[in-house]
Amino acid sequence: MAAEAEFADHGFDGVSVRQIALRADVPVALINYHYGSKEGLYRAIFEMRAPMIIDQRMAGLRLAEMEPDQERKVEMIVKAVLVPNLHMRSTEKNSSYARILAREVADPKSHHRKVIGEFFDPVAYRVTEALHKAMPDRTIEEIHWGYQAMLGVMVYTMADTGRISRLSAGRCDPEDEMTTSTHLVALMKAALLYGRVPKKD
Amino acid sequence: MAAEAEFADHGFDGVSVRQIALRADVPVALINYHYGSKEGLYRAIFEMRAPMIIDQRMAGLRLAEMEPDQERKVEMIVKAVLVPNLHMRSTEKNSSYARILAREVADPKSHHRKVIGEFFDPVAYRVTEALHKAMPDRTIEEIHWGYQAMLGVMVYTMADTGRISRLSAGRCDPEDEMTTSTHLVALMKAALLYGRVPKKD
DNA sequence: AAAGTTCTTGTCAACTTGTTCAAATATGCT
DNA sequence: AGCATATTTGAACAAGTTGACAAGAACTTT
């Protein structure tokens, strides 16, 4: 799908239906015929790609639930959330979708388009549930802020602007899926396990 | 500046100069006269606001450098990075700029990439430097990924899409600056202090 | 007060935008 | 085959886009 690449590069408002049609080498009207509208096309991308990532995350969660050791369990939950997305990002065919997803999650205007909530909220609930079960001593707030943190790190890395590579003089490269995952998982695992807010006396 | 609010809500491509002019109750042509173009206006926002946030971060870093205790030092660095932005977000007048910044940092097609690099890279170097000095046993990669994580969490929270509030049934609210900062600082402090990648044997 | 400069304004032309329409083509079914 | 439905197409549409212009208003400086 050519639309993915265009949306990924310029955002929903940054690209016109004509640009997409041109790139896909089809008449403009075809898009409206098949998807109803520009937004329909946009949604179709999610409807096609979302299940894949969601399934992987769910599968990771099921594995994590079987792990008895707390520390490992948390690590597996973190991995279940981060790894599928980071992997998708480094896959040539899916990298566009990864950037669209990152953009959409970070876009306040996406609230109107809905789509994130529809597709990803259910799995989000599963994650927070699993986290709370793994660390029952945490408050609900701690769990949710922890999840928020995981998502933020993930999205920011998925949307990579080339900044970390520039700042680190090329030593850190988000394209390197293995190293990236290792670092981010280690960081977020520690954040979740050891990041406690000082309780008010 | 009315332009801030519009840009924040709809993004650079999502809003027209006319909408901005209408909201600001000025003729359209005025904007082009003063800022040359739509992009000029956009850039002007950053040039006006960026120094403020940078100064605060630098000041926080200087304070952190004086702290002898390692754990506290890292915490102070984290605070120096996160708190100014989170505070700005919850300030009525500046919340728009915070959302623009969040959007911009996550946008691969930054309209003024040079401005971001120009303004924010120097302070970024200072942060990673300070982190490395506080934790000399870490690899450069660990330091940079840690910084990346901090930024991701911050940006994602600043761009708040209302998701965490929805998922947590209203129990977590990014508008509540105090609680938000407390949680995020605790998380990222732990991530930096205890998040080590398993070294290959 | 006069002249020069800067700022403000309504209007304009050239162009894109997303979407729709009737006509043309392809496909499936009996 | 012939008919009915589905798809594809180029052109057209109304609405909105940006940036530019000349003409006027409001300051500064002489």
Side-chain angles (χ1 to χ4, degrees), chain A residues 9-30:
Chain A
D9 288 342
H10 310 101
F12 183 81
D13 293 303
V15 74
S16 73
V17 182
R18 285 181 164 77
Q19 287 176 47
I20 297 171
L22 188 71
R23 177 136 163 190
D25 203 39
V26 297
V28 254
L30 251 190

Side-chain angles (χ1 to χ4, degrees), chain B residues 147-169:
Chain B
Y147 180 69
Q148 166 99 348
M150 269 200 290
L151 235 60
V153 170
M154 188 191 77
V155 165
Y156 185 58
T157 303
M158 281 169 65
D160 175 40
T161 60
R163 189 150 190 255
I164 190 174
S165 172
R166 184 173 74 237
L167 289 175
S168 68

Side-chain angles (χ1 to χ4, degrees), chain A residues 157-168:
Chain A
T157 303
M158 280 168 65
D160 176 40
T161 61
R163 189 147 191 259
I164 188 174
S165 173
R166 182 173 77 238
L167 289 175
S168 68

Side-chain angles (χ1 to χ4, degrees), chain A residues 85-86 88-89 98-99 101-102 153-160:
Chain A
N85 283 277
L86 294 175
M88 177 178 60
R89 188 195 179 283
R99 278 177 297 153
L101 185 60
V153 171
M154 188 191 76
V155 164
Y156 186 59
T157 303
M158 280 168 65
D160 176 40

Side-chain angles (χ1 to χ4, degrees), chain B residues 17-18 33 40 86 92 94:
Chain B
V17 183
R18 290 184 121 78
Y33 175 76
L86 293 175
E92 186 63 33
N94 300 331

Side-chain angles (χ1 to χ4, degrees), chain B residues 23 27-28 49 51 60 68 71 77 82 96 100 102 116 122 124 126 128 130 133 135 139 148 150-151 181 183 195 200:
Chain B
R23 177 138 162 187
V28 252
R49 298 275 192 201
E71 196 166 320
I77 296 174
L82 298 186
S96 298
I100 293 181
I116 282 239
R126 290 286 308 269
T128 49
K133 207 177 288 183
M135 303 183 293
T139 66
Q148 166 99 348
M150 269 200 290
L151 235 60
S181 296
H183 276 97
K200 41 193 166 189

Side-chain angles (χ1 to χ4, degrees), chain B residues 20-87:
Chain B
I20 297 171
L22 187 71
R23 177 138 162 187
D25 204 39
V26 298
V28 252
L30 245 192
I31 294 176
N32 266 333
Y33 175 76
H34 277 290
Y35 303 103
S37 67
K38 184 181 179 182
E39 193 168 323
L41 167 64
Y42 195 66
R43 186 182 287 256
I45 292 175
F46 277 86
E47 276 162 15
M48 191 175 61
R49 298 275 192 201
M52 182 176 59
I53 200 74
I54 287 171
D55 286 350
Q56 290 181 35
R57 209 179 266 184
M58 286 292 199
L61 276 185
R62 278 193 294 276
L63 289 182
E65 272 167 14
M66 295 167 57
E67 171 66 45
D69 179 65
Q70 191 208 37
E71 196 166 320
R72 281 186 204 218
K73 189 174 205 162
V74 171
E75 181 176 329
M76 288 181 76
I77 296 174
V78 174
K79 277 184 180 164
V81 172
L82 298 186
V83 173
N85 283 276
L86 293 175
H87 174 70

